[in-house]
Structures are given as structure tokens and as C-alpha cells.
Amino acid sequence: MTTKTFSAKPGQVEQKWWLVDGEDQIVGRLASDIAVRLMGKHRPTYTPHVDTGDFVIVVNAEKVKFSGTKWDKKRYTWYTGYTRQRSESAAERLESHPDEILREAVRRMLPKNKLATKMLSKLKIFVGPDHNHQAQNPEKLEGLGQVRQKKRD
């Protein structure tokens, strides 16, 4: 008797829609849980070379938190083509593009390949409590971004 390894095929996996409330969530913890959902690692049928992940809708993206003094010390830098890098703090980015804080954190936790672009396109981030994906009937996802501690005997 031999066992066969299951390998998902593109289009074979049914993708769900999840709704996450970002209010009072720590950015890094929330982003790592969202990245797992986008990649599909929460499923027993996870296949690395196939997009088996789900869609994730995040509301209240402007109310996420950083721990410590990261609002002032964390810097986002990018190169414009001119001679020097541009830079801004996390607090400045929150004022101009609050959704980009969470999107960048999730993007950096995804694999560095072409499939990651497809996974990131399934992340829908909204500023405020409203979103325009009611037709997909997203299920509310609780417990993301929480600190997990081992139980001691």
C-alpha cells in the first residue's frame, strides 16, 4: 500500500472571503496572520507553487498600532531616481496613506516571486469601517494578531 502526496491544481481550491477589523491590532502580528491566509498555509491542502490562499478584507486600517516608539523611529525609504533616498516616519505615512502601512508589512512577509503579486492582489484594505465587498459575503475572522502563549503544566 502506497500513499500519494496531494498537490493542488490551479483553480481547484475554493477561495473564501474573510473580514478582519484592524482596530487596536499590532501591525506585525496582524500582517503575519494575514500573510498566512493569503498564501493558504492555514489549509491542509497547501501547495507552495499554487495560489491556494483566501481573500482578506481589512477595515479600520488607520487604527492599527505599533508597539513601543515605532511611530517615530520606524522609517520607510524609497529611491526616486534622483540622487538621494526619500524617507518618512510611520506617523507621517499614517497621515498620508494609512492603508500602505499594513500593505507593506504583508508584502514583505509573502514569498519573493511572481506568485506573491497575485497573493497581494487578494488583500483589500479600507480606511474606515465600510467596504464594498458585501456581495462576497465575507466571514468575520476573530483572533488575528493576538499574542499566543504556551500553556504550562
Side-chain angles (χ1 to χ4, degrees):
M1 183 168 144
T2 61
T3 57
K4 293 185 177 183
T5 302
F6 176 79
S7 181
K9 310 290 186 290
Q12 187 179 15
V13 178
E14 179 185 339
Q15 297 173 329
K16 288 186 172 182
W17 285 75
W18 298 102
L19 180 64
V20 177
D21 189 5
E23 186 171 1
D24 295 332
Q25 299 281 343
I26 296 176
V27 173
R29 296 181 191 278
L30 181 63
S32 65
D33 289 340
I34 290 173
V36 167
R37 292 277 171 181
L38 291 175
M39 287 186 279
K41 284 192 166 186
H42 64 289
R43 297 175 184 260
T45 59
Y46 169 69
T47 308
H49 65 278
V50 178
D51 186 14
T52 57
D54 295 334
F55 287 84
V56 178
I57 303 166
V58 180
V59 294
N60 292 325
E62 77 283 1
K63 296 180 182 176
V64 294
K65 298 189 307 187
F66 277 116
S67 58
T69 58
K70 290 182 189 147
W71 284 116
D72 299 322
K73 291 185 178 179
K74 184 170 180 61
R75 306 294 295 176
Y76 292 96
T77 59
W78 64 97
Y79 182 64
T80 63
Y82 289 100
T83 56
R84 72 171 207 184
Q85 276 192 330
R86 300 289 303 194
S87 162
E88 67 182 357
S89 69
E92 293 167 352
R93 180 159 288 190
L94 182 70
E95 292 175 12
S96 59
H97 302 289
D99 57 325
E100 289 300 317
I101 291 175
L102 189 59
R103 189 178 316 277
E104 271 297 299
V106 171
R107 182 188 67 82
R108 291 173 179 173
M109 293 181 187
L110 292 175
K112 299 345 180 230
N113 56 23
K114 292 179 183 178
L115 193 57
T117 306
K118 193 173 178 183
M119 292 175 188
L120 193 61
S121 69
K122 295 187 302 182
L123 176 63
K124 315 296 182 188
I125 300 177
F126 294 94
V127 177
D130 300 324
H131 63 89
N132 57 4
H133 294 284
Q134 288 86 5
Q136 284 75 26
N137 296 324
E139 298 178 33
K140 192 158 180 74
L141 195 56
E142 298 290 335
L144 285 187
Q146 302 299 320
V147 178
R148 294 176 194 85
Q149 295 181 353
K150 291 183 180 179
K151 291 185 179 179
R152 296 185 181 210
D153 296 328

